[in-house]
Amino acid sequence: MKHFINLKNIPAKDLRKIIIDAKKRKNLRKKLSTLEVDKGAPLKGKLLIQMFEKSSLRTRLSFYLAIKQLGGGTLTLRSNELHLGQGGESIADTAKILSTYGDGFMLRTDSDKKVENFAKYLSIPVINGLSPSSHPTQVLSDVFTVEEITKKPISKLNICWIGDSNNVLDSLIAASVKFSFKLSIGCPKKFEPGKEVRAWVKKNNKKIYIYNDAKKAVSGADVIFSDKVISLNDKVNKTKKIQAFKNFKINKELMKFSNSAIFLHCLPRGDEVSEDVFLGKKSHVWQQALNRVHVQKSILLYCFGKLR
Ligand code: CP
Ligand code: NVA
């Protein structure tokens, strides 16, 4: 069994294996409908327990479909209905019960420490479904989407992020090291990636390129990613932060400075992207969202020790 917590700690060859498996599985089920099970039902009889301490649409649905298509099932818990959420039970005891009843645990939380603590006490795999420092299932799926659309290995592409230094960017930075792609980041000085992630990149003998000018950041980009300026539970002065990003809006004008880039966004969106770019020909956001199902199936197989 393996946990899936942060791309930084997962060997590059395992990440590549997951992507290869997802591609095969996606192709093999082209003619199957949503709830039909993959041949061989590799996770038959397995229960994935999901718990969300923050809102979610895509992660919730995509994990539901992922485990169903592998022959298993899922149960979603609301943290405020558990003793744990009320402060009436420890993580250790909760983890013991989850491990007794279920086969895997997917957690979305506001605390990285909580994911780590669950990993310590669970005897089943834990998957990070978004934490303050990481959104690993999203970004691995995004690597898959980039390669699917461009038909090129991501290492041959110039990837650009315009936006806040948040959990999705931290995972994209980790992916840039694991998959060896060039990553340019465009954001205001005050919202540049933190020291810790930059030190990690350096320690791995890699580089990321940071610009406080959106046009410079997108110059030569093949792919432009973005995300909301204000993340879930972001405790900042929202008006001030949005104002700081006013020159980082992705619109048709900015897209012209890229290498005819495609546009991707994890969703939900805010005002960081114009309607015509978001709904335009270069945007692949719906395909990106659906690919979460395919990649998470292979992540589940990896965690359950069943990846071929
Ligand atoms: N992209 C993403 O994780 O969406 P949800 O917050 O809706 O799960
Ligand atoms: N950065 C966003 C991602 C949402 C999927 C957030 O944490 O709210």
Side-chain angles (χ1 to χ4, degrees):
M1 122 188 160
K2 290 198 167 77
H3 299 306
F4 195 88
I5 297 177
N6 193 316
L7 297 184
K8 282 183 193 164
N9 305 323
I10 303 172
K13 68 167 190 352
D14 289 0
L15 296 173
R16 179 49 76 191
K17 249 174 109 175
I18 292 170
I19 287 191
I20 292 169
D21 185 72
K23 193 172 172 186
K24 270 192 220 148
R25 284 190 176 276
K26 184 175 177 182
N27 278 335
L28 282 172
R29 63 170 293 120
K30 273 196 177 132
K31 294 203 176 104
L32 299 186
S33 55
T34 313
L35 284 176
E36 275 183 274
V37 175
D38 283 7
K39 199 168 160 232
L43 295 188
K44 188 173 169 203
K46 301 285 185 198
L47 173 65
L48 176 72
I49 302 173
Q50 306 195 60
M51 186 164 88
F52 294 90
E53 297 186 337
K54 300 167 91 170
S55 318
S56 168
L57 173 63
R58 284 143 287 266
T59 306
R60 184 188 307 263
L61 286 171
S62 53
F63 268 106
Y64 175 86
L65 288 183
I67 188 96
K68 281 269 179 190
Q69 291 182 1
L70 293 170
T74 180
L75 175 73
T76 300
L77 303 175
R78 291 156 63 117
S79 55
N80 62 348
E81 291 175 355
L82 305 187
H83 297 283
L84 173 75
Q86 309 295 328
E89 191 160 26
S90 65
I91 289 187
D93 288 1
T94 305
K96 180 74 190 165
I97 294 299
L98 292 174
S99 308
T100 310
Y101 282 70
D103 301 290
F105 183 48
M106 203 288 307
L107 175 65
R108 171 169 287 198
T109 176
D110 244 341
S111 159
D112 284 299
K113 188 88 198 129
K114 197 177 264 182
V115 188
E116 292 301 334
N117 273 333
F118 267 113
K120 189 166 148 196
Y121 293 113
L122 286 166
S123 53
I124 56 175
V126 62
I127 298 173
N128 180 357
L130 184 147
S131 70
S133 76
S134 175
H135 197 1
T137 63
Q138 173 74 54
V139 168
L140 190 59
S141 172
D142 292 349
V143 171
F144 175 93
T145 302
V146 165
E147 295 192 338
E148 179 177 69
I149 293 165
T150 62
K151 299 185 172 53
K152 285 184 185 154
I154 197 164
S155 57
K156 300 245 181 304
L157 299 168
N158 287 330
I159 309 295
C160 173
W161 171 273
I162 299 290
D164 191 22
S165 293
N166 61 17
N167 41 12
V168 181
L169 177 58
D170 268 17
S171 286
L172 192 63
I173 292 174
S176 79
V177 171
K178 297 285 171 175
F179 290 95
S180 293
F181 59 80
K182 185 180 173 201
L183 177 62
S184 304
I185 297 161
C187 62
K189 181 98 194 122
K190 189 167 171 228
F191 296 97
E192 287 184 357
K195 278 193 195 121
E196 208 182 304
V197 69
R198 288 163 81 154
W200 180 81
V201 171
K202 209 168 163 192
K203 202 178 98 199
N204 282 278
N205 300 317
K206 293 275 171 22
K207 223 181 147 181
I208 48 174
Y209 300 83
I210 302 172
Y211 303 91
N212 303 132
D213 177 329
K215 287 180 189 133
K216 282 189 185 150
V218 302
S219 167
D222 302 300
V223 182
I224 298 176
F225 278 100
S226 192
D227 187 10
K228 272 191 177 188
V229 169
I230 309 289
S231 279
L232 283 164
N233 305 3
D234 202 351
K235 289 177 191 68
V236 286
N237 180 322
K238 293 187 181 149
T239 323
K240 268 196 183 160
K241 190 168 177 185
I242 289 170
Q243 178 64 16
F245 276 89
K246 72 175 190 315
N247 294 329
F248 292 85
K249 182 155 179 152
I250 298 148
N251 51 30
K252 283 219 154 137
E253 222 15 70
L254 184 64
M255 293 295 283
K256 281 187 198 150
F257 289 85
S258 73
N259 182 26
S260 192
I262 59 164
F263 176 76
L264 294 174
H265 192 301
C266 61
L267 297 171
R269 64 174 153 143
D271 285 335
E272 63 284 346
V273 53
S274 67
E275 191 79 1
D276 55 0
V277 169
F278 187 82
L279 298 175
K281 279 204 188 100
K282 289 292 188 171
S283 170
H284 296 270
V285 293
W286 310 124
Q287 181 178 345
Q288 177 188 8
L290 189 59
N291 277 338
R292 300 275 309 273
V293 177
H294 300 292
V295 175
Q296 284 162 198
K297 285 166 71 178
S298 306
I299 292 173
L300 284 166
L301 290 169
Y302 168 75
C303 290
F304 283 93
K306 294 214 168 190
L307 199 64
R308 290 160 303 173

